[in-house]
Protein backbone atom coordinates (compact mmCIF):
# COMPACT_ATOMS: atom_id res chain seq x y z
CA UNK A 1 0.00 0.00 0.00
CA UNK A 2 1.27 3.45 -0.84
CA UNK A 3 2.32 5.72 1.97
CA UNK A 4 -0.38 8.04 3.17
CA UNK A 5 0.11 10.33 6.15
CA UNK A 6 -3.56 10.24 7.02
CA UNK A 7 -3.54 6.46 7.04
CA UNK A 8 -0.52 6.31 9.34
CA UNK A 9 -2.14 8.76 11.74
CA UNK A 10 -5.30 6.67 11.79
CA UNK A 11 -3.18 3.60 12.62
CA UNK A 12 -1.74 5.35 15.67
CA UNK A 13 -5.18 6.39 16.83
CA UNK A 14 -6.46 2.83 16.49
CA UNK A 15 -3.54 1.46 18.49
CA UNK A 16 -4.39 3.81 21.34
CA UNK A 17 -8.00 2.62 21.61
CA UNK A 18 -9.11 0.02 24.18
CA UNK A 19 -9.30 -3.44 22.69
CA UNK A 20 -13.00 -3.80 23.35
CA UNK A 21 -13.81 -0.53 21.64
CA UNK A 22 -11.64 -1.46 18.67
CA UNK A 23 -13.42 -4.81 18.34
CA UNK A 24 -16.75 -3.06 18.45
CA UNK A 25 -15.89 -0.49 15.79
CA UNK A 26 -14.23 -3.09 13.58
CA UNK A 27 -17.51 -4.84 12.88
CA UNK A 28 -19.77 -1.81 12.82
CA UNK A 29 -20.54 0.01 9.58
CA UNK A 30 -18.72 3.33 9.39
CA UNK A 31 -20.80 6.34 10.37
CA UNK A 32 -21.65 9.11 7.92
CA UNK A 33 -19.15 11.40 9.66
CA UNK A 34 -16.43 8.75 9.55
CA UNK A 35 -17.01 8.24 5.82
CA UNK A 36 -16.92 12.01 5.28
CA UNK A 37 -13.54 12.29 7.00
CA UNK A 38 -12.06 9.14 5.47
CA UNK A 39 -9.17 9.44 3.00
CA UNK A 40 -9.96 9.22 -0.71
CA UNK A 41 -8.55 5.69 -1.12
CA UNK A 42 -10.78 4.37 1.67
CA UNK A 43 -13.85 5.85 -0.02
CA UNK A 44 -12.88 4.10 -3.23
CA UNK A 45 -12.56 0.73 -1.47
CA UNK A 46 -15.82 1.25 0.42
CA UNK A 47 -17.49 2.14 -2.87
CA UNK A 48 -16.25 -1.12 -4.44
CA UNK A 49 -17.80 -3.06 -1.56
CA UNK A 50 -21.14 -1.32 -2.05
CA UNK A 51 -20.94 -1.82 -5.82
CA UNK A 52 -20.47 -5.56 -5.41
CA UNK A 53 -23.46 -5.69 -3.07
CA UNK A 54 -25.61 -3.91 -5.64
CA UNK A 55 -25.88 -0.54 -3.83
CA UNK A 56 -25.04 1.44 -6.95
CA UNK A 57 -26.33 4.83 -5.77
CA UNK A 58 -24.27 4.84 -2.59
CA UNK A 59 -21.28 3.47 -4.45
CA UNK A 60 -21.48 6.22 -7.07
CA UNK A 61 -21.51 8.88 -4.35
CA UNK A 62 -18.37 7.40 -2.77
CA UNK A 63 -16.56 7.08 -6.10
CA UNK A 64 -17.30 10.70 -6.94
CA UNK A 65 -16.23 11.77 -3.44
CA UNK A 66 -13.02 9.79 -3.78
CA UNK A 67 -12.24 11.51 -7.08
CA UNK A 68 -12.98 14.98 -5.70
CA UNK A 69 -11.11 14.34 -2.44
CA UNK A 70 -8.00 13.26 -4.30
CA UNK A 71 -8.11 16.45 -6.33
CA UNK A 72 -8.35 18.49 -3.12
CA UNK A 73 -5.62 16.39 -1.47
CA UNK A 74 -3.03 17.17 -4.15
CA UNK A 75 -4.22 20.73 -4.69
CA UNK A 76 -3.48 21.38 -1.01
CA UNK A 77 0.00 19.94 -1.38
CA UNK A 78 0.57 22.01 -4.51
CA UNK A 79 -0.54 25.14 -2.68
CA UNK A 80 1.88 24.42 0.15
CA UNK A 81 4.83 24.15 -2.24
CA UNK A 82 3.72 27.20 -4.21
CA UNK A 83 3.52 29.23 -0.98
CA UNK A 84 7.01 28.05 -0.04
CA UNK A 85 8.72 28.88 -3.34
CA UNK A 86 6.95 32.25 -3.41
CA UNK A 87 8.74 33.43 -0.27
CA UNK A 88 11.33 36.17 -1.04
CA UNK A 89 14.20 34.28 0.62
CA UNK A 90 13.26 31.11 -1.30
CA UNK A 91 12.98 32.90 -4.63
CA UNK A 92 16.58 33.94 -4.11
CA UNK A 93 17.54 30.22 -4.22
CA UNK A 94 16.81 30.23 -7.98
CA UNK A 95 14.46 27.24 -7.90
CA UNK A 96 17.19 24.90 -6.63
CA UNK A 97 15.34 21.81 -5.39
CA UNK A 98 17.99 20.61 -2.95
CA UNK A 99 18.39 24.01 -1.32
CA UNK A 100 14.65 24.60 -1.10
CA UNK A 101 13.82 21.21 0.43
CA UNK A 102 16.65 21.63 2.93
CA UNK A 103 15.34 25.10 3.80
CA UNK A 104 11.83 23.70 4.33
CA UNK A 105 13.15 21.05 6.72
CA UNK A 106 15.35 23.43 8.67
CA UNK A 107 12.56 25.99 9.09
CA UNK A 108 9.87 23.38 9.81
CA UNK A 109 7.52 24.16 6.93
CA UNK A 110 5.39 21.15 7.82
CA UNK A 111 2.91 21.30 4.94
CA UNK A 112 5.61 21.76 2.31
CA UNK A 113 7.73 18.96 3.81
CA UNK A 114 4.72 16.64 3.73
CA UNK A 115 4.03 17.67 0.14
CA UNK A 116 7.57 16.87 -1.01
CA UNK A 117 7.52 13.55 0.88
CA UNK A 118 4.29 12.58 -0.83
CA UNK A 119 5.61 13.63 -4.22
CA UNK A 120 8.89 11.76 -3.91
CA UNK A 121 6.98 8.62 -2.91
CA UNK A 122 5.17 8.62 -6.25
CA UNK A 123 7.70 10.28 -8.53
CA UNK A 124 11.49 9.76 -8.68
CA UNK A 125 13.28 12.89 -7.54
CA UNK A 126 15.21 12.88 -10.80
CA UNK A 127 12.04 13.74 -12.73
CA UNK A 128 12.14 17.24 -11.26
CA UNK A 129 15.56 17.89 -12.84
CA UNK A 130 16.65 19.83 -9.76
CA UNK A 131 13.80 22.38 -10.06
CA UNK A 132 11.39 22.81 -7.16
CA UNK A 133 8.82 24.48 -9.43
CA UNK A 134 8.60 21.28 -11.52
CA UNK A 135 6.67 19.77 -8.61
CA UNK A 136 3.67 21.98 -9.41
CA UNK A 137 2.95 20.20 -12.71
CA UNK A 138 3.54 16.84 -11.07
CA UNK A 139 0.97 17.55 -8.38
CA UNK A 140 -1.48 18.47 -11.15
CA UNK A 141 -0.77 15.09 -12.72
CA UNK A 142 -1.24 13.23 -9.45
CA UNK A 143 -4.72 14.72 -9.01
CA UNK A 144 -6.02 12.36 -11.71
CA UNK A 145 -7.68 9.28 -10.24
CA UNK A 146 -8.26 6.77 -13.04
CA UNK A 147 -9.49 4.05 -10.66
CA UNK A 148 -12.35 6.28 -9.50
CA UNK A 149 -13.21 7.21 -13.10
CA UNK A 150 -13.26 3.51 -14.02
CA UNK A 151 -15.58 2.57 -11.18
CA UNK A 152 -17.91 5.46 -12.01
CA UNK A 153 -18.00 3.99 -15.51
CA UNK A 154 -18.86 0.60 -14.05
CA UNK A 155 -21.88 2.12 -12.29
CA UNK A 156 -23.19 3.57 -15.56
CA UNK A 157 -22.49 0.29 -17.38
CA UNK A 158 -24.54 -1.64 -14.85
CA UNK A 159 -27.36 0.89 -15.15
CA UNK A 160 -27.38 0.64 -18.95
CA UNK A 161 -25.97 4.13 -19.66
CA UNK A 162 -23.46 2.85 -22.20
CA UNK A 163 -22.41 6.18 -23.70
CA UNK A 164 -21.59 7.66 -20.30
CA UNK A 165 -19.72 4.48 -19.34
CA UNK A 166 -17.66 4.71 -22.54
CA UNK A 167 -16.73 8.32 -21.79
CA UNK A 168 -15.70 7.34 -18.27
CA UNK A 169 -13.47 4.50 -19.50
CA UNK A 170 -11.90 6.79 -22.09
CA UNK A 171 -11.32 9.43 -19.40
CA UNK A 172 -9.67 6.83 -17.16
CA UNK A 173 -7.49 5.58 -20.03
CA UNK A 174 -6.21 9.11 -20.55
CA UNK A 175 -4.85 8.93 -16.98
CA UNK A 176 -3.09 5.57 -17.16
CA UNK A 177 0.14 7.11 -15.87
CA UNK A 178 -1.53 7.14 -12.44
CA UNK A 179 -3.00 3.64 -12.58
CA UNK A 180 -1.99 1.59 -9.55
CA UNK A 181 -3.43 -1.59 -11.10
CA UNK A 182 -2.35 -2.12 -14.75
CA UNK A 183 -5.01 -4.84 -15.10
CA UNK A 184 -7.65 -2.10 -15.12
CA UNK A 185 -6.29 -0.75 -18.40
CA UNK A 186 -6.72 -4.18 -19.96
CA UNK A 187 -10.25 -4.46 -18.56
CA UNK A 188 -11.25 -1.06 -19.92
CA UNK A 189 -9.87 -1.76 -23.40
CA UNK A 190 -11.82 -5.02 -23.56
CA UNK A 191 -14.95 -3.20 -22.34
CA UNK A 192 -14.57 -0.52 -25.00
CA UNK A 193 -13.92 -3.10 -27.74
CA UNK A 194 -17.06 -5.00 -26.74
CA UNK A 195 -19.18 -1.82 -26.72
CA UNK A 196 -17.90 -0.82 -30.15
CA UNK A 197 -18.65 -4.27 -31.55
CA UNK A 198 -22.22 -4.04 -30.28
CA UNK A 199 -22.51 -0.57 -31.82
CA UNK A 200 -21.18 -1.86 -35.15
CA UNK A 201 -18.13 0.42 -34.99
CA UNK A 202 -15.64 -2.25 -36.05
CA UNK A 203 -12.77 0.09 -36.85
CA UNK A 204 -12.86 1.43 -33.30
CA UNK A 205 -13.21 -2.11 -31.93
CA UNK A 206 -10.12 -3.14 -33.88
CA UNK A 207 -8.20 -0.07 -32.65
CA UNK A 208 -8.89 -0.91 -29.01
CA UNK A 209 -7.88 -4.55 -29.45
CA UNK A 210 -4.70 -3.49 -31.26
CA UNK A 211 -3.91 -1.27 -28.26
CA UNK A 212 -3.97 -4.39 -26.11
CA UNK A 213 -1.45 -6.06 -28.40
CA UNK A 214 1.07 -3.34 -27.57
CA UNK A 215 1.62 -5.43 -24.42
CA UNK A 216 2.58 -8.45 -26.56
CA UNK A 217 6.31 -7.97 -26.98
CA UNK A 218 6.85 -10.71 -29.55
CA UNK A 219 3.95 -9.49 -31.69
CA UNK A 220 4.88 -5.82 -31.57
CA UNK A 221 8.56 -6.48 -32.26
CA UNK A 222 7.82 -8.80 -35.21
CA UNK A 223 6.72 -5.98 -37.52
CA UNK A 224 8.06 -7.78 -40.60
CA UNK A 225 6.13 -10.96 -39.67
CA UNK A 226 9.38 -12.94 -39.82
CA UNK A 227 8.61 -15.01 -36.71
CA UNK A 228 4.97 -15.56 -37.71
CA UNK A 229 6.00 -16.78 -41.15
CA UNK A 230 8.59 -19.12 -39.60
CA UNK A 231 5.91 -20.49 -37.27
CA UNK A 232 3.52 -21.13 -40.13
CA UNK A 233 6.23 -22.89 -42.15
CA UNK A 234 7.03 -25.16 -39.22
CA UNK A 235 3.36 -25.97 -38.72
CA UNK A 236 2.96 -26.65 -42.45
CA UNK A 237 6.09 -28.73 -42.93
CA UNK A 238 6.56 -30.44 -39.56
CA UNK A 239 3.06 -30.73 -38.06
CA UNK A 240 1.45 -29.74 -34.77
CA UNK A 241 3.75 -31.64 -32.41
CA UNK A 242 7.02 -30.40 -33.90
CA UNK A 243 5.57 -26.88 -33.96
CA UNK A 244 4.91 -27.05 -30.22
CA UNK A 245 8.33 -28.55 -29.58
CA UNK A 246 9.99 -25.63 -31.30
CA UNK A 247 7.77 -22.78 -30.17
CA UNK A 248 6.42 -21.86 -26.76
CA UNK A 249 4.97 -18.47 -26.01
CA UNK A 250 2.55 -17.31 -23.36
CA UNK A 251 0.93 -13.94 -22.90
CA UNK A 252 -2.37 -14.32 -21.01
CA UNK A 253 -3.17 -10.61 -21.29
CA UNK A 254 -3.22 -10.62 -25.08
CA UNK A 255 -4.52 -14.14 -25.83
CA UNK A 256 -8.13 -12.96 -25.88
CA UNK A 257 -7.31 -9.88 -27.95
CA UNK A 258 -5.63 -12.07 -30.56
CA UNK A 259 -8.61 -14.40 -30.59
CA UNK A 260 -11.17 -11.62 -30.98
CA UNK A 261 -9.18 -9.95 -33.75
CA UNK A 262 -8.76 -13.29 -35.51
CA UNK A 263 -12.50 -13.86 -35.40
CA UNK A 264 -13.14 -10.38 -36.78
CA UNK A 265 -10.66 -10.77 -39.65
CA UNK A 266 -11.97 -14.24 -40.50
CA UNK A 267 -15.55 -13.00 -40.53
CA UNK A 268 -14.56 -10.18 -42.87
CA UNK A 269 -12.72 -12.54 -45.22
CA UNK A 270 -9.14 -11.48 -44.39
CA UNK A 271 -7.83 -14.99 -43.88
CA UNK A 272 -4.09 -14.33 -43.68
CA UNK A 273 -4.51 -11.66 -41.00
CA UNK A 274 -6.90 -13.98 -39.16
CA UNK A 275 -4.33 -16.79 -39.31
CA UNK A 276 -1.65 -14.58 -37.75
CA UNK A 277 -3.83 -13.80 -34.74
CA UNK A 278 -5.28 -17.30 -34.39
CA UNK A 279 -1.71 -18.64 -34.41
CA UNK A 280 -0.67 -16.46 -31.47
CA UNK A 281 -3.87 -17.16 -29.53
CA UNK A 282 -3.57 -20.93 -30.01
CA UNK A 283 0.16 -20.98 -29.24
CA UNK A 284 -0.44 -19.10 -25.97
CA UNK A 285 -3.26 -21.47 -25.01
CA UNK A 286 -1.22 -24.56 -25.95
CA UNK A 287 1.79 -23.34 -23.97
CA UNK A 288 -0.43 -22.72 -20.95
CA UNK A 289 -2.00 -26.20 -21.21
CA UNK A 290 1.34 -27.99 -21.57
CA UNK A 291 2.97 -26.08 -18.70
CA UNK A 292 -0.05 -26.57 -16.42
CA UNK A 293 -0.04 -30.31 -17.16
CA UNK A 294 3.71 -30.55 -16.57
CA UNK A 295 3.65 -28.58 -13.29
CA UNK A 296 1.68 -31.22 -11.37
CA UNK A 297 3.74 -34.23 -12.47
CA UNK A 298 6.20 -35.79 -10.06
CA UNK A 299 8.21 -37.55 -12.73
CA UNK A 300 10.20 -35.67 -15.34
CA UNK A 301 8.00 -34.74 -18.25
CA UNK A 302 9.17 -34.24 -21.81
CA UNK A 303 6.63 -33.09 -24.33
CA UNK A 304 6.28 -35.46 -27.26
CA UNK A 305 2.75 -35.04 -28.62
CA UNK A 306 -0.17 -32.79 -27.85
CA UNK A 307 -2.46 -35.82 -27.96
CA UNK A 308 -0.53 -37.38 -25.06
CA UNK A 309 -1.27 -34.30 -22.97
CA UNK A 310 -4.94 -33.94 -23.88
CA UNK A 311 -5.56 -37.66 -23.37
CA UNK A 312 -4.96 -37.17 -19.63
CA UNK A 313 -7.27 -34.18 -19.28
CA UNK A 314 -10.04 -36.15 -17.54
CA UNK A 315 -7.85 -35.96 -14.43
CA UNK A 316 -7.30 -32.21 -14.73
CA UNK A 317 -10.57 -30.25 -14.51
CA UNK A 318 -8.59 -27.03 -14.05
CA UNK A 319 -7.02 -27.44 -17.49
CA UNK A 320 -10.26 -28.43 -19.19
CA UNK A 321 -11.96 -25.37 -17.67
CA UNK A 322 -9.21 -23.15 -19.06
CA UNK A 323 -9.45 -24.77 -22.50
CA UNK A 324 -13.18 -24.11 -22.52
CA UNK A 325 -12.65 -20.49 -21.49
CA UNK A 326 -10.21 -19.81 -24.35
CA UNK A 327 -12.23 -21.88 -26.88
CA UNK A 328 -9.18 -24.05 -27.45
CA UNK A 329 -10.49 -26.49 -30.03
CA UNK A 330 -12.53 -23.86 -31.87
CA UNK A 331 -9.41 -21.70 -32.12
CA UNK A 332 -7.41 -24.62 -33.53
CA UNK A 333 -10.14 -25.34 -36.08
CA UNK A 334 -10.37 -21.75 -37.29
CA UNK A 335 -6.59 -21.44 -37.36
CA UNK A 336 -6.75 -24.29 -39.85
CA UNK A 337 -9.65 -22.69 -41.72
CA UNK A 338 -7.79 -19.36 -41.91
CA UNK A 339 -4.64 -21.02 -43.18
CA UNK A 340 -6.67 -22.89 -45.80
CA UNK A 341 -8.36 -19.68 -46.88
CA UNK A 342 -4.90 -18.07 -47.20
CA UNK A 343 -3.70 -20.90 -49.44
CA UNK A 344 -1.77 -22.85 -46.78
CA UNK A 345 -3.61 -26.16 -47.21
CA UNK A 346 -0.85 -28.38 -45.81
CA UNK A 347 -0.70 -26.44 -42.52
CA UNK A 348 -4.50 -26.47 -42.33
CA UNK A 349 -4.60 -30.24 -42.81
CA UNK A 350 -2.06 -30.76 -40.04
CA UNK A 351 -4.31 -28.92 -37.59
CA UNK A 352 -7.46 -30.66 -38.78
CA UNK A 353 -5.73 -34.06 -38.54
CA UNK A 354 -4.93 -33.34 -34.88
CA UNK A 355 -8.54 -32.33 -34.17
CA UNK A 356 -9.98 -35.26 -36.13
CA UNK A 357 -8.22 -37.68 -33.74
CA UNK A 358 -8.95 -35.65 -30.60
CA UNK A 359 -11.80 -37.26 -28.64
CA UNK A 360 -12.25 -34.19 -26.43
CA UNK A 361 -12.74 -31.80 -29.34
CA UNK A 362 -16.50 -32.38 -29.64
CA UNK A 363 -18.10 -30.41 -32.49
CA UNK A 364 -14.72 -29.33 -33.81
CA UNK A 365 -13.59 -32.92 -34.21
CA UNK A 366 -16.49 -33.63 -36.53
CA UNK A 367 -15.94 -30.45 -38.50
CA UNK A 368 -12.23 -31.23 -38.88
CA UNK A 369 -13.04 -34.74 -40.13
CA UNK A 370 -15.35 -33.26 -42.78
CA UNK A 371 -12.66 -30.81 -43.86
CA UNK A 372 -10.16 -33.62 -44.30
CA UNK A 373 -12.61 -35.45 -46.57
CA UNK A 374 -13.33 -32.36 -48.65
CA UNK A 375 -11.69 -29.11 -47.61
CA UNK A 376 -13.58 -25.88 -48.21
CA UNK A 377 -13.57 -22.34 -46.90
CA UNK A 378 -16.14 -22.04 -44.17
CA UNK A 379 -18.52 -19.16 -44.92
CA UNK A 380 -17.86 -16.19 -42.64
CA UNK A 381 -20.24 -15.69 -39.76
CA UNK A 382 -22.15 -12.43 -40.40
CA UNK A 383 -20.96 -9.62 -38.17
CA UNK A 384 -23.69 -8.39 -35.78
Amino acid sequence: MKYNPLFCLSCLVCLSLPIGLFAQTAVAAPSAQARENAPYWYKLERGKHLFRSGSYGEALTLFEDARNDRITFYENYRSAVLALISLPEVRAMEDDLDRITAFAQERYYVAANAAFAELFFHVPREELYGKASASLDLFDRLKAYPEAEYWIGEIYRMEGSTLIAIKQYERALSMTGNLADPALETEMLFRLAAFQKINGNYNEMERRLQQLLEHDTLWSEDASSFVRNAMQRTLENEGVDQFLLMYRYKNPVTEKAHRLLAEYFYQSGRHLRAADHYLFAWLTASTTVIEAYQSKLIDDFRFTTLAAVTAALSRRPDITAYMSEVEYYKTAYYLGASLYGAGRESAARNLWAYLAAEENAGEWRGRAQRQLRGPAIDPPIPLP
Side-chain angles (χ1 to χ4, degrees):
M1 180 180 293
K2 294 183 178 178
Y3 171 78
N4 187 305
L6 296 176
F7 176 72
C8 290
L9 179 59
S10 66
C11 290
L12 292 173
V13 172
C14 289
L15 288 173
S16 67
L17 291 174
I19 294 175
L21 178 57
F22 180 80
Q24 180 182 356
T25 55
V27 297
S31 67
Q33 184 178 359
R35 289 197 300 270
E36 182 67 26
N37 297 329
Y40 65 83
W41 54 264
Y42 175 85
K43 291 181 179 180
L44 182 75
E45 294 304 318
R46 180 65 183 164
K48 291 180 192 179
H49 174 76
L50 291 169
F51 175 86
R52 291 169 182 138
S53 67
S55 302
Y56 300 133
E58 292 180 77
L60 178 60
T61 298
L62 282 169
F63 293 147
E64 290 175 339
D65 285 349
R67 176 185 60 191
N68 297 335
D69 288 356
R70 177 159 172 150
I71 291 172
T72 302
F73 183 76
Y74 285 108
E75 280 181 346
N76 289 340
Y77 276 149
R78 186 184 189 279
S79 297
V81 172
L82 180 59
L84 174 69
I85 63 178
S86 300
L87 295 172
E89 60 265 48
V90 175
R91 288 203 303 270
M93 297 177 186
E94 299 180 338
D95 205 18
D96 186 291
L97 178 64
D98 291 337
R99 292 177 65 192
I100 291 172
T101 53
F103 173 85
Q105 290 172 358
E106 291 168 3
R107 300 295 183 89
Y108 298 102
Y109 282 90
V110 177
N113 285 327
F116 281 121
E118 175 72 14
L119 182 65
F120 296 147
F121 179 78
H122 293 286
V123 179
R125 193 183 180 104
E126 294 75 22
E127 283 195 24
L128 278 72
Y129 299 101
K131 301 294 184 182
S133 62
S135 65
L136 303 179
D137 288 339
L138 293 173
F139 280 122
D140 283 336
R141 190 180 79 186
L142 286 170
K143 289 191 296 187
Y145 202 6
E147 286 85 356
E149 303 293 354
Y150 164 79
W151 283 101
I152 291 170
E154 286 290 271
I155 295 287
Y156 285 110
R157 179 181 67 86
M158 294 300 295
E159 293 183 343
S161 301
T162 303
L163 292 179
I164 300 178
I166 288 173
K167 289 179 180 178
Q168 282 298 130
Y169 296 143
E170 289 174 342
R171 180 175 172 82
L173 284 171
S174 72
M175 306 172 177
T176 50
N178 278 4
L179 263 179
D181 181 7
L184 277 187
E185 180 182 2
T186 300
E187 186 68 29
M188 286 186 283
L189 288 170
F190 275 124
R191 288 259 197 273
L192 288 169
F195 282 141
Q196 299 301 348
K197 182 177 182 180
I198 291 170
N199 294 337
N201 191 348
Y202 301 114
N203 289 336
E204 185 64 14
M205 177 199 75
E206 179 185 344
R207 185 175 77 86
R208 292 302 186 181
L209 292 173
Q210 293 288 3
Q211 278 183 265
L212 282 159
L213 296 191
E214 294 172 5
H215 299 285
D216 191 329
T217 305
L218 179 58
W219 177 270
S220 59
E221 290 181 355
D222 188 28
S224 65
S225 303
F226 176 80
V227 174
R228 284 168 254 169
N229 290 334
M231 288 179 178
Q232 289 184 14
R233 286 195 300 271
T234 301
L235 185 61
E236 182 170 1
N237 298 327
E238 306 293 339
V240 169
D241 295 324
Q242 186 63 29
F243 169 74
L244 292 176
L245 272 171
M246 291 185 64
Y247 297 101
R248 295 286 174 83
Y249 184 66
K250 185 169 66 173
N251 193 324
V253 172
T254 59
E255 179 277 329
K256 184 179 178 181
H258 277 300
R259 186 157 36 94
L260 292 175
L261 279 168
E263 183 180 85
Y264 167 60
F265 288 130
Y266 186 85
Q267 289 172 346
S268 55
R270 289 172 280 181
H271 296 116
L272 188 57
R273 293 194 70 181
D276 280 345
H277 289 288
Y278 273 129
L279 185 68
F280 265 61
W282 191 67
L283 179 58
T284 284
S286 296
T287 300
T288 302
V289 167
I290 292 167
E291 289 182 356
Y293 176 76
Q294 180 180 359
S295 68
K296 294 292 181 71
L297 296 180
I298 298 175
D299 299 328
D300 289 339
F301 168 78
R302 182 178 180 275
F303 176 82
T304 53
T305 68
L306 185 57
V309 173
T310 55
L313 290 183
S314 60
R315 302 191 299 272
R316 293 297 304 275
D318 56 331
I319 298 179
T320 54
Y322 169 77
M323 292 173 75
S324 176
E325 178 186 341
V326 299
E327 301 180 318
Y328 184 78
Y329 296 118
K330 177 182 177 181
T331 299
Y333 175 83
Y334 276 108
L335 172 56
S338 300
L339 289 166
Y340 181 80
R344 312 285 176 82
E345 182 174 349
S346 179
R349 283 184 170 276
N350 273 322
L351 279 157
W352 289 333
Y354 156 68
L355 287 171
E358 180 55 65
E359 294 183 359
N360 297 310
E363 169 193 354
W364 307 105
R365 182 187 189 191
R367 293 179 69 162
Q369 290 170 342
R370 288 192 292 273
Q371 287 283 27
L372 289 173
R373 290 194 296 268
I377 297 176
D378 272 8
I381 304 168
L383 290 165

